[in-house]
Structures are given as C-alpha cells and as structure tokens.
Amino acid sequence: MIKTKLAVFASGTGSNYDAIVEAIRTNQLDAELTILVCDNPNAKVIEKAKANGTPMFVFDPKQYVDKAMFETKIVEVLQEASVDLVILAGYMRLVGPTLLQHFEDRMINIHPSLLPAFPGLDAIGQAFDAGVKVSGVTIHFVDQGMDTGKIIAQEAVKIEENMTREALQQAIQKVEHHLYPQTIQQLISRGE
Ligand code: GRF
C-alpha cells in the first residue's frame, strides 16, 4: 500500500511534530512524513527534525519579496515531495491564496481553543483571561481566514478552579498530542 505523504509546517517548538513522528513510529498513524516546512531558521523544531532525519525546507520570509514568492517556492517543494496532506502544527502565519489554491481541502490546522471561540494568537491566554470554565482543542480545514475553516474534530478541556495558565497550557497540549495524530489517521482512513 502506498502511504499518504504528509508535510508538517511548524515555526516553533514542534511538540505536535514530535507527536506525529511518534504516532508514525508506533504505527498508530499510517503515513509518511515527507517534509518539515519551517519559516523560522532558529526554531527548536529544526533540531528535532535533524535528529529524526526528517527532510526539511527551512526559509526566512524576509529573503523573499512577498508572501506569494515564498509560497510559490513552498508549492514547488511540496509538489516535488508528492505531498498529499499538509499539517499545520504551530505555523505562525496566515496561509495565502498561492498555497491555498493548491492544497484547499488538503490542509489542516490545530488550534488551542474550542473554535469559533478565541481565534488568533495566544488562544490559551485569551481563554484564561476570559475566565471560561471549558476550553479545548480544534482541528479544522484551512481556508483564507484566521482559524475559520470547517471544523473536523474538537476535544474539551475543563478549566478547574485555581488552575494556573501553565497548567491549562499543559492540559491543552496533552490533548493536542493525541487528537492530532488520531484525526489525521481518521482523515486518511476516510480517504479525504
Ligand atoms: C499548538 O498549541 C497549536 O495548537 C498552535 O501552536 C502550538 C504549536 O505548538 N497552533 P508546538 O510547536 O507543536 O509545540
């Protein structure tokens, strides 16, 4: 069987990248991670990908005239690697039309809140400051908006009385690390 080829996009720590690599290694996710795309040459995730031997495309957006230029390059890289599904995992950038038109319905994102609540940056801090009693994790298809695409999966996290912001972050990350590989596997099994 030919495996589904994934590209993971990350800009930072890469704990979701780690979770996906681990799920593939332990056969919980039947896919091949063909490339890591990273827009931050100083990101921690690069060290992890080096250690794992994941092929990488690392770029500095400042070296390109505009978003259309670097997204054109990304499309080339993804097509060369025959990528089937793009997994945004902490890619801190709004995807533009150049990339979207090639991967619409084949690009998903993870967001640390129950969308449509708390889109955008620091969703965990937003939920914490709002004093809500429940937040969580959303996985959704990517469209041109900020965290607005069709929702695929959600899991709630209860915010206990006296819970610190750090504890909430840990609880949300714990959910992310099982929900993302599991949802990717479901999409693959359904042939989406
Ligand atoms: C995650 O919380 C994810 O929901 C958000 O960015 C964060 C990335 O964390 N989109 P990591 O780099 O995977 O550790």
Side-chain angles (χ1 to χ4, degrees):
M1 268 290 272
I2 297 169
K3 287 190 190 285
T4 301
K5 292 183 178 6
L6 308 179
V8 170
F9 283 39
S11 308
T13 317
S15 68
N16 282 284
Y17 158 83
D18 276 337
I20 290 164
V21 167
E22 185 58 12
I24 292 173
R25 194 185 68 77
T26 55
N27 296 320
Q28 292 173 66
L29 177 51
D30 187 23
E32 188 189 324
L33 178 48
T34 49
I35 192 149
L36 172 79
V37 174
C38 179
D39 64 346
N40 172 9
N42 300 313
K44 259 195 188 162
V45 68
I46 294 173
E47 292 312 312
K48 296 178 173 176
K50 269 188 198 152
N52 290 330
T54 306
M56 276 183 270
F57 173 60
V58 181
F59 68 101
D60 181 352
K62 292 198 285 292
Q63 307 290 319
Y64 292 80
V65 177
D66 56 18
K67 186 183 278 197
M69 293 301 272
F70 68 71
E71 288 198 343
T72 299
K73 178 67 192 166
I74 293 173
V75 169
E76 264 173 46
V77 168
L78 298 181
Q79 285 178 337
E80 215 163 281
S82 306
V83 166
D84 301 304
L85 187 61
V86 174
I87 312 293
L88 305 187
Y91 182 65
M92 301 304 286
R93 204 168 278 284
L94 205 57
V95 175
T98 309
L99 186 49
L100 205 54
Q101 73 186 8
H102 284 90
F103 287 91
E104 206 159 16
D105 300 326
R106 293 194 295 144
M107 185 182 290
I108 65 174
N109 182 44
I110 188 163
H111 184 76
S113 77
L114 292 178
L115 290 171
F118 312 123
L121 287 177
D122 191 21
I124 297 173
Q126 290 184 55
F128 191 77
D129 293 343
V132 294
K133 301 296 177 201
V134 178
S135 190
V137 176
T138 303
I139 294 163
H140 63 91
F141 284 108
V142 176
D143 66 8
Q144 67 290 343
M146 170 81 84
D147 304 319
T148 49
K150 183 172 175 252
I151 292 172
I152 306 164
Q154 288 188 307
E155 192 171 316
V157 171
K158 210 164 170 239
I159 305 178
E160 307 287 354
E161 215 52 47
N162 301 323
M163 198 175 195
T164 62
R165 200 193 139 109
E166 290 66 38
L168 174 59
Q169 180 161 349
Q170 277 177 16
I172 287 199
Q173 280 178 334
K174 197 166 169 223
V175 169
E176 288 191 334
H177 297 161
H178 74 81
L179 189 64
Y180 216 3
Q182 182 186 311
T183 305
I184 296 166
Q185 181 57 53
Q186 280 166 2
L187 285 176
I188 291 172
S189 304
R190 296 203 314 239
E192 282 187 31

